Amino acid sequence: MLEHVDYPSQVLKSALEHVKAGGYVFLSTINRDFISWFTTIFMGEHILGIVPVGTHTYSKYINQVEVSEWFQTNASNFEVISSKGCIYLPLKGWVFTDNSNVGNYFMAIRKKT
């Protein structure tokens, strides 16, 4: 969802204020890469029409590494526990992968105790 907001760091900071020690934040967003552009904007918006044109803005996509680095720099009392990639396969639907650097990804972040 972070790819849909203008100030993702403010959204994260606001969410983190409500997490108790040992608690979790889960997020999902889209990597800024060719595959993401191709599947979400070109195919999803322009070819298949699954979502309206303009739903996604490529420059708002955030690479998984950037989110991890943001936590190291701005929220050192949190740790990224897991990051999983997620891709859409036309004949299978959504499939999780171990590669969180391409396409969509989900992250689990825990507040240290």
Side-chain angles (χ1 to χ4, degrees):
M1 67 80 178
L2 289 177
E3 77 275 7
H4 295 290
V5 299
D6 291 327
Y7 303 102
S9 62
Q10 288 180 349
V11 170
L12 287 174
K13 286 179 185 177
S14 180
L16 298 181
E17 291 174 3
H18 303 282
V19 180
K20 295 179 182 178
Y24 287 83
V25 171
F26 299 93
L27 65 87
S28 71
T29 195
I30 304 173
N31 279 295
R32 193 176 50 260
D33 59 41
F34 175 77
I35 291 173
S36 297
W37 170 84
F38 182 80
T39 57
T40 61
I41 296 174
F42 180 70
M43 292 300 293
E45 294 183 17
H46 297 283
I47 302 301
L48 300 174
I50 296 171
V51 294
V53 172
T55 296
H56 299 101
T57 304
Y58 182 74
S59 62
K60 288 184 176 181
Y61 291 1
I62 308 167
N63 292 331
Q64 181 269 151
V65 171
E66 295 169 327
V67 174
S68 294
E69 289 173 352
W70 184 89
F71 273 94
Q72 290 174 356
T73 303
N74 298 287
S76 60
N77 57 333
F78 285 82
E79 59 185 336
V80 175
I81 298 298
S82 180
S83 186
K84 282 284 198 186
C86 188
I87 58 172
Y88 183 78
L89 300 175
L91 299 176
K92 284 191 152 195
W94 288 99
V95 177
F96 284 102
T97 71
D98 289 329
N99 186 352
S100 57
N101 295 312
V102 176
N104 296 35
Y105 62 95
F106 292 83
M107 293 182 97
I109 299 108
R110 185 177 65 84
K111 187 171 186 177
K112 296 175 185 176
T113 55

